[in-house]
Amino acid sequence: MGMHYVNKLLLLNETDIMDKGQATATGFTDLWDQAYEYGKRYQSEYGSPICSVLGCSSERFDQTVLEPDYCQPNWLSENAAWDDLLLKVFQYPGGLDEEMAREFLQTKDIRALTSKLEFRAQAHLQSKDYYASGQLLQTLVALQGRDLPGFRCGSFMSQGGEDDVLDMRFDKKFGAGRRLLLEVAFLWD
C-alpha cells in the first residue's frame, strides 16, 4: 500500500516559534533549528499521520532551506528569495495574476487589491465565468482581517484534507521583517 501526504505552508512570525525564554535567532541556522522543532510539534501522538518538516524560508535572512524526505515541497524551493515565494502564493492559491501580485508586493495596499479583485470578480460573473469568479471571491474572503493574499486563516489547519496555505501568526501586527514560511507534510500510510 502506498503513502498519501498533504502539504501545509505556514506563515509565522519568528516569535511564534520561540519557546518561552528562548533567545531570538542570530543566524539563519538557529532560526531553522527553531522552526524545525516548532514543526515537529504537529506530530500526532498516535503515530499517524507522520509530520515531516520540509523546509523554511526567512524574511529577515532572505534565505530558504529544504530538507525533504519522502515528501516534496509544493511552495518552497531551494535558495528561493522571500519575495519570490510570496509571489508564488499570491498567484496560487491566491488567484492573482503576475502583474497584480507584483504590484501588491510593491505597494502592500489591501484596499486597492480588494477593489481590483471585486471588479474582476464582477466581470467574470457577467461573462458567466463562474470558476474564475469563484477563485477571486475565495481570495476576497481569505483577505478579510489579513494582510497577504493566498493565506487562509490558521483555524483551518488540519493534518488531512488538501494541500493548504495558512496564516498561523498569533500577532498580525508584528509586521514585516521577521516573518517565516514553514512547509510541513502529513504522511498517511
Side-chain angles (χ1 to χ4, degrees):
M1 182 183 266
M3 293 183 115
H4 168 74
Y5 68 92
V6 294
N7 289 29
K8 309 291 179 173
L9 182 68
L10 312 178
L11 173 65
L12 300 153
N13 286 321
E14 288 182 22
T15 54
D16 296 332
I17 65 168
M18 292 170 46
D19 289 327
K20 192 172 183 104
Q22 189 174 26
T24 302
T26 57
F28 183 66
T29 302
D30 292 339
L31 182 65
W32 165 236
D33 290 343
Q34 290 176 357
Y36 184 85
E37 290 305 315
Y38 175 86
K40 282 301 193 184
R41 294 178 191 170
Y42 288 103
Q43 176 61 48
S44 171
E45 61 188 73
Y46 304 107
S48 187
I50 297 167
C51 179
S52 176
V53 180
L54 304 179
C56 173
S57 181
S58 163
E59 181 179 24
R60 178 165 54 121
F61 298 109
D62 198 23
Q63 285 184 271
T64 302
V65 65
L66 292 181
E67 289 194 9
D69 46 24
Y70 303 107
C71 309
Q72 293 301 309
N74 287 348
W75 293 278
L76 297 182
S77 51
E78 194 69 47
N79 300 317
W82 176 260
D83 285 352
D84 292 339
L85 293 171
L86 286 182
L87 285 172
K88 193 174 186 179
V89 171
F90 294 171
Q91 292 174 63
Y92 180 78
L96 307 184
D97 61 34
E98 186 174 353
E99 179 185 337
M100 238 186 196
R102 288 190 184 285
E103 182 180 331
F104 177 75
L105 191 60
Q106 289 178 340
T107 66
K108 297 177 181 46
D109 186 344
I110 290 287
R111 286 187 180 162
L113 177 62
T114 300
S115 294
K116 287 180 182 180
L117 289 171
E118 289 170 348
F119 178 79
R120 286 193 181 177
Q122 289 173 354
H124 287 307
L125 276 174
Q126 289 174 349
S127 67
K128 299 191 185 303
D129 186 351
Y130 301 121
Y131 180 78
S133 180
Q135 281 187 303
L136 295 177
L137 290 173
Q138 287 178 350
T139 299
L140 283 165
V141 168
L143 266 176
Q144 292 180 340
R146 307 224 156 4
D147 58 352
L148 295 172
F151 292 88
R152 293 191 332 140
C153 176
S155 64
F156 289 104
M157 175 64 172
S158 72
Q159 294 177 335
E162 296 181 13
D163 294 343
D164 211 349
V165 178
L166 302 151
D167 185 344
M168 303 294 287
R169 296 174 293 171
F170 291 115
D171 185 3
K172 309 279 187 292
K173 296 176 184 162
F174 192 74
R178 297 211 179 227
R179 297 175 293 189
L180 61 102
L181 295 168
L182 180 68
E183 189 162 355
V184 298
F186 295 100
L187 286 77
W188 298 86
D189 54 7

